[in-house]
Amino acid sequence: MTAATLPAPPRPRPGVRRTALALAAVIVAALLSVVLPAPSAQAATAGNATGVTRSGDTFTVATSSGAAARIVMARADIFRIWLSPNGAFTDDPAGADLAVDTAFGAVGATLTDAGSYYRVGTSAVSLRINKSPLTFALYRADDTTLLWSEAQPTNWTGSQTTQYLTRAADEQFYGTGLRLGEWALRDKTVPVAVSNQWSENTNASPAPFYMSTNGYGVMRNTWSPGSYSFTAPTSLRHNENRFDAWYFAGGSLKDVLNGYTDVTGKPFLAPVWGLELGNADCFNASNPDYQGAHDRLRHQTTPDVVGYATDARAADMPSGWFLPNDGYGCGYTSLPETVTQLKAKGFQTGLWTSTGLSGIGWEVGTAGSRAVKTDVAWIGGGYKTAFKGVQQAVDGIESNSDARRFVWTVDGWAGTQRNAVVWTGDTSGTWDAMRWHVPAIAGAGLSGLNYASGDIDGIFGGSPKTYVRDLQWKALTPAFMTMSGWGPVNPSAGYEDKQPWRFAEPYLSINRKYLQLKMRLMPYLYTMSRNATDTGVPSTRAMVLEYPNDPVARGNQTSGQFMAGDSLLVAPVVTDTTTRDGIYLPAGSWTDYWTGKVYNGPGWLDGYSAPLDTLPLFVKAGAIVPMWPQMNYTGEKPVSTLTYDIQPRGTSSFTLYEDDGVTRAYKTGASARQRVDVTAPASGTGDVTVSVGASTGSYTGKPAARGYEFTLRSASAPGTVKVGTTTLPAQASRAAYNAAATGWFYDAADRSGTLWVKTGSTGAAFTVTATGLTVPAGTAVGGTAPSSPISQTGWSVRYADSQETASENGAAANAIDGKPSTQWHTKWSNGATALPHEIQIDLGARYDVDSVTQLPRQDGGVNGRIGSYEVYVSDSTTSWGTPVATGTFPDTAAATRVTFTAKSGRYLRLRALSEAGNRGPWTSLAELTATGRPSG
């Protein structure tokens, strides 16, 4: 969406999380922090390296300018470069706030003088310190494989410091926190700064961290705002007169995330109820200090929330926690009684604050509250202020109870993953906002943020359809919440507010369907979150994390989908349609979760039938997915039977993680794991063996034994099914199977063929063997990425033969700035330039371009409208070849689209051969856009 088509931001009003005054103060502060002055001509550098001294694994570089650099090898694959302009290492504003764990033991690094450079080596990397001028380059331990190198010396101006790195031909970049938009960052300039704008291409929780497909990551050890341009060379800038960065080398992106979170802290492990749906609202509207409407029904005093909890349970609607608003004058009444009554219905209680946490000791320790949301009116200044506020919330929960931290925040920073859920701020319930939320939340994981979310259907606006579609896919992420009370009242039929149980049919049943699916998948998603705590790899994964060597998965062609854990591929529907195009299935076999149809990748799936109740969801071949019995909240019923849903193909394994779900006892080992291994034919018919290990470890509440059920996809019924050496009985019908304690039933109509197996209760290891199962052959997918608008973010003007800049801002760049109010106009002051005129655009990457749209000037003027034209697409600006389109544009102010057979190229050229109406020798253009698909 261009800037001109973005809706105006909602006007601040009482009761929408912040006062107008607080919001204004926050925005002013944020905007001031974002303004990054350009480097001045007097930018200084360190000069030449004149010597290196060492103390253990710390190396200090002296320079000709008096500046100094310090290299600290913390681990073979992790090190710090600290560059001090004055040669003193006393200015360290971040201290140990971000890099919380750097004591990994002695590294035994080596130092070598190689003539033109010094070399610091470990078993993992070789860091070159080039002498003249001082620059750095990082190689793998072979001293041959380059990870990164400085294109020119790092410079500083007194107010900012910038590093410049060379960029490899196919290098891609990820990270910078919870960025609201696409997650592949090559050719993009990304603000690493707090703005609280919460619109596309801003950053809700910036992190001064990025990683590269070359096999490294970088965290700038700073609280200062910055800006990263992933151009050639990259330009990486922060507003401080020092350079301080931690580097992480790895064989994969997952390795880099592991190293980054080893230093900055692993993602926290949420309480299991934190993965259930949360709901926030003010339930004390009668308070005279409340800044919202005082006459809200069923919201007069805090215990009124119990009525909503009752509604949820009556609607058979899974939901796990309420967050009554205690900010903006709402406050609370009878909090201990409310907490007790909600807990009796299976709900935990949290509070949010717009002013601070002065009462958190009592709220947690006595009243029993277990969650905190830090509001922007309090921590909206971001950086260290916000970071300290989140830490206060963590300490308030964990110092006053045995509970785990569960905090929601905006304006996070590097390290926030160890303390809080980050969310996208105050957004609206629109299709377009949903579109960019998908890559935003998946991309947050590329900065180690395991818990990232956005209010379901936004906080403003919304509709039954957008709510349903948004809830569907967010149910497959770890943490999600709906914000009630700020959307319109009764905006449309069947939509009372943003609680999922207050909708008419069919929306009510669809909401229930996906909340029930989330509850059944809890053991799978909880295990994925524990894996994140162990490794730094998030539960919600951009496709590149699972398929780093797939050229399609590496870029934004797959930004509209994600992996939920390692086995489920989610392709949200983010437009008002019942057909989903452009689903990319990587190499391997993928089973439609709903129908059982199997597709073989790699390739694109178009025309997928996705009526309102269907989220496109695919299961990876070999998947082993643990599932609970259906319940509305954790603990509603015992997990007397655990189901493993299996897609047999080849060999695969899964290790289930379990603990008490609420306390911090897991940190001292109170937990259990159970490994399941499956062997099956890679294709065709054969035996399938499921080996279930004993659950090892212990925690409070762990069952001594439990029943097991298995669902296995197969195109044929088995010959026999055995548990160990015992043959299980075949049941004649699904009803008979359901009534039996053990046995099996093959249902050919269930998802294209499913074998159901019950093995009875046990606490020991066992094996299930089914003979004669047939692995579905599957249907190959192919084709190319769907054509779509090509983002102007990476565009630049390569050449324009004429532009008027003397008497007006008629620069050619105005034709690609996304603003119809600006325009390119050819020179008219001091003599016009004769026709024809042309503009050449660098698209920033190679595309199969199949249309262009030209929007004439929109200021009421008519001169310069293009008459006859030619359009070219090429990989070279010196050899354009023949036009892909020619013709004459109408003499109107309306946009005109020209379609043509797709042509591959990086450069787009529009030639204006004449002016419409033959008014003169001019050309003007408000916007030039194009559609196409990424090309190899």
Side-chain angles (χ1 to χ4, degrees):
M1 176 181 284
T2 64
T5 60
L6 286 171
R11 299 178 65 183
R13 62 181 187 275
V16 294
R17 304 189 190 179
R18 58 192 184 270
T19 64
L21 181 60
L23 175 61
V26 166
I27 289 178
V28 168
L31 290 177
L32 287 174
S33 74
V34 174
V35 175
L36 303 174
S40 70
Q42 292 75 38
T45 68
N48 299 331
T50 58
V52 179
T53 58
R54 71 175 297 172
S55 174
D57 291 316
T58 298
F59 304 83
T60 302
V61 183
T63 74
S64 58
S65 70
R70 177 172 290 174
I71 298 99
V72 180
M73 306 304 296
R75 205 168 74 183
D77 57 343
I78 297 174
F79 63 93
R80 179 186 188 183
I81 297 179
W82 183 359
L83 179 60
S84 171
N86 64 10
F89 296 98
T90 55
D91 181 16
D92 188 8
D97 292 331
L98 308 184
V100 294
D101 190 356
T102 59
F104 299 109
V107 177
T110 61
L111 175 63
T112 306
D113 188 337
S116 62
Y117 63 88
Y118 301 102
R119 177 185 179 272
V120 175
T122 73
S123 60
V125 298
S126 172
L127 178 67
R128 293 187 184 182
I129 307 168
N130 298 310
K131 296 179 180 179
S132 182
L134 173 63
T135 58
F136 296 91
L138 183 67
Y139 293 78
R140 297 211 183 274
D142 61 10
D143 204 30
T144 300
T145 306
L146 179 66
L147 300 185
W148 59 261
S149 65
E150 291 186 324
Q152 64 187 72
T154 295
N155 64 40
W156 54 89
T157 66
S159 61
Q160 65 182 215
T161 303
T162 307
Q163 183 188 42
Y164 307 89
L165 300 183
T166 60
R167 190 181 74 176
D170 62 347
E171 188 175 7
Q172 186 57 271
F173 305 90
Y174 315 103
T176 74
L178 177 55
R179 180 182 183 275
L180 306 187
E182 295 176 328
W183 41 257
L185 305 179
R186 182 181 172 95
D187 292 319
K188 296 182 187 294
T189 296
V190 180
V192 184
V194 172
S195 67
N196 294 314
Q197 295 178 27
W198 306 315
S199 57
E200 188 173 11
N201 295 320
T202 64
N203 210 317
S205 280
F209 166 80
Y210 75 90
M211 58 181 176
S212 159
T213 51
N214 273 15
Y216 74 91
V218 187
M219 181 195 73
R220 293 284 280 267
N221 195 42
T222 180
W223 291 116
S224 297
S227 176
Y228 297 169
S229 292
F230 297 104
T231 49
T234 64
S235 173
L236 310 158
R237 190 168 80 229
H238 277 277
N239 285 5
E240 59 181 357
N241 202 47
R242 60 191 294 277
F243 178 87
D244 190 354
W246 284 92
Y247 294 86
F248 315 93
S252 68
L253 295 174
K254 289 183 178 181
D255 288 346
V256 173
L257 283 176
N258 195 27
Y260 167 62
T261 54
D262 279 347
V263 169
T264 61
K266 295 297 185 188
F268 76 101
L269 182 61
V272 67
W273 55 263
L275 275 64
E276 300 169 17
L277 180 69
N279 190 294
D281 199 351
C282 174
F283 285 94
N284 194 35
S286 63
N287 186 348
D289 294 330
Y290 177 46
Q291 298 169 18
H294 293 278
D295 58 351
R296 295 184 63 198
L297 296 176
R298 305 180 69 199
H299 289 74
Q300 289 300 293
T301 61
T302 304
D304 284 351
V305 69
V306 179
Y308 278 76
T310 302
D311 292 348
R313 298 299 177 239
D316 195 26
M317 192 73 71
S319 185
W321 50 284
F322 276 98
L323 199 70
N325 182 359
D326 73 328
Y328 304 106
C330 181
Y332 51 74
T333 60
S334 307
L335 185 59
E337 296 84 351
T338 301
V339 170
T340 298
Q341 293 176 56
L342 285 175
K343 196 167 185 179
K345 296 182 180 296
F347 288 92
Q348 295 289 336
T349 306
L351 296 169
W352 85 43
T353 176
S354 62
T355 55
L357 296 166
S358 59
I360 194 169
W362 178 85
E363 292 162 351
V364 171
T366 300
S369 178
R370 288 294 181 266
V372 171
K373 180 168 162 302
T374 60
D375 195 273
V376 69
W378 173 38
I379 52 84
Y383 311 107
K384 191 169 184 176
T385 299
F387 205 84
K388 288 175 62 178
V390 169
Q391 188 63 57
Q392 290 172 28
V394 167
D395 294 342
I397 294 171
E398 296 192 350
S399 297
N400 294 286
S401 72
D402 64 354
R404 302 176 195 176
R405 61 195 68 182
F406 193 61
V407 179
W408 283 59
T409 195
V410 288
D411 298 338
W413 198 247
T416 293
Q417 74 276 354
R418 67 182 186 253
N419 281 337
V421 181
V422 293
W423 97 101
T424 58
D426 292 353
T427 60
S428 295
T430 65
W431 294 110
D432 196 60
M434 199 187 313
R435 170 191 58 78
W436 57 254
H437 265 83
V438 177
I441 291 173
L446 296 170
S447 293
L449 294 161
N450 183 55
Y451 304 95
S453 189
D455 298 334
I456 295 171
D457 204 32
I459 182 175
F460 303 110
S463 69
K465 282 187 178 181
T466 52
Y467 190 97
V468 162
R469 287 300 195 189
D470 211 27
L471 175 65
Q472 285 175 355
W473 69 270
K474 285 177 179 169
L476 275 295
T477 65
F480 63 147
M481 179 169 63
T482 185
M483 297 292 301
S484 301
W486 289 272
V489 178
N490 297 320
S492 58
Y495 187 36
E496 293 188 58
D497 52 31
K498 292 181 183 286
Q499 287 100 348
W501 52 86
R502 289 173 62 80
F503 285 72
E505 295 291 359
Y507 314 109
L508 178 70
S509 292
I510 301 173
N511 291 339
R512 182 187 298 113
K513 172 181 176 178
Y514 286 92
L515 291 173
Q516 289 181 339
L517 176 63
K518 175 68 175 279
M519 289 304 300
R520 291 219 65 196
L521 289 172
M522 286 289 275
Y524 170 76
L525 293 171
Y526 190 61
T527 296
M528 292 298 114
S529 283
R530 176 61 210 227
N531 290 347
T533 299
D534 291 338
T535 68
V537 178
S539 177
T540 302
R541 302 173 186 176
M543 298 300 295
V544 68
L545 273 181
E546 290 302 302
Y547 300 92
N549 298 320
D550 185 324
V552 176
R554 286 162 63 108
N556 287 316
Q557 295 177 70
T558 60
S559 66
Q561 61 187 67
F562 61 89
M563 294 294 295
D566 52 23
S567 296
L568 302 178
L569 189 156
V570 185
V573 178
V574 296
T575 59
D576 190 5
T577 183
T578 58
T579 301
R580 176 62 154 88
D581 292 326
I583 301 171
Y584 182 71
L585 301 178
S589 294
W590 299 86
T591 300
D592 186 321
Y593 186 83
W594 310 109
T595 68
K597 183 175 180 180
V598 176
Y599 300 91
N600 298 327
W604 295 91
L605 178 60
D606 290 334
Y608 180 89
S609 178
L612 190 61
D613 70 340
T614 301
L615 169 72
L617 180 62
F618 301 87
V619 189
K620 185 179 180 179
I624 305 167
V625 179
M627 303 181 77
W628 277 351
Q630 192 65 70
M631 60 182 85
N632 283 329
Y633 58 90
T634 303
E636 180 185 25
K637 60 182 73 170
V639 184
S640 55
T641 299
L642 182 68
T643 298
Y644 279 103
D645 189 38
I646 299 171
Q647 308 287 331
R649 189 181 295 265
T651 60
S652 57
S653 66
F654 182 89
T655 300
L656 173 71
Y657 172 81
E658 298 174 288
D659 59 28
D660 68 23
V662 291
T663 76
R664 302 192 299 279
Y666 76 93
K667 290 190 172 183
T668 55
S671 61
R673 284 179 165 87
Q674 180 179 52
R675 177 168 172 142
V676 178
D677 292 277
V678 175
T679 58
S683 61
T685 300
D687 298 346
V688 174
T689 301
V690 182
S691 299
V692 181
S695 177
T696 59
S698 111
Y699 58 89
T700 300
K702 179 184 175 181
R706 63 185 168 205
Y708 290 89
E709 183 174 55
F710 303 87
T711 52
L712 300 97
R713 303 294 173 272
S714 173
S716 65
T720 61
V721 179
K722 293 183 178 182
V723 176
T725 59
T726 302
T727 300
L728 292 180
Q731 304 297 334
S733 66
R734 184 66 178 274
Y737 170 83
N738 290 340
T742 62
W744 63 270
F745 176 69
Y746 179 74
D747 189 344
D750 179 12
R751 291 164 288 177
S752 301
T754 300
L755 171 63
W756 292 75
V757 180
K758 284 184 185 176
T759 61
S761 183
T762 182
F766 64 96
T767 299
V768 176
T769 302
T771 63
L773 295 187
T774 301
V775 175
T779 301
V781 293
T784 58
S787 177
S788 60
I790 301 173
S791 172
Q792 291 175 303
T793 304
W795 290 21
S796 61
V797 175
R798 179 80 175 191
Y799 168 77
D801 75 295
S802 177
Q803 56 184 344
E804 175 59 42
T805 56
S807 298
E808 66 174 16
N809 182 12
N814 291 337
I816 58 169
D817 64 357
K819 300 177 182 178
S821 59
T822 64
Q823 62 179 294
W824 165 45
H825 201 295
T826 54
K827 185 174 177 61
W828 53 265
S829 62
N830 301 317
T833 304
L835 284 159
H837 297 303
E838 68 176 82
I839 184 171
Q840 299 176 11
I841 306 299
D842 181 348
L843 301 176
R846 200 165 186 264
Y847 291 90
D848 296 332
V849 184
D850 57 21
S851 85
V852 296
T853 298
Q854 70 94 21
L855 179 69
R857 59 189 298 180
Q858 299 293 296
D859 61 354
V862 296
N863 67 39
R865 287 179 182 170
I866 300 173
S868 58
Y869 65 86
E870 293 175 342
V871 177
Y872 298 80
V873 176
S874 177
D875 283 318
S876 168
T877 57
T878 59
S879 179
W880 287 100
T882 59
V884 294
T886 61
T888 302
F889 289 128
D891 189 6
T892 70
T896 304
R897 183 184 183 194
V898 179
T899 60
F900 43 84
T901 301
K903 174 79 180 294
S904 298
R906 175 166 180 150
Y907 303 102
L908 175 66
R909 178 193 193 195
L910 173 64
R911 293 192 75 213
L913 306 181
S914 68
E915 181 176 349
N918 295 314
R919 298 185 184 93
W922 304 295
T923 293
S924 63
L925 183 63
E927 282 297 303
L928 180 66
T929 58
T931 64
R933 55 182 62 83
S935 179

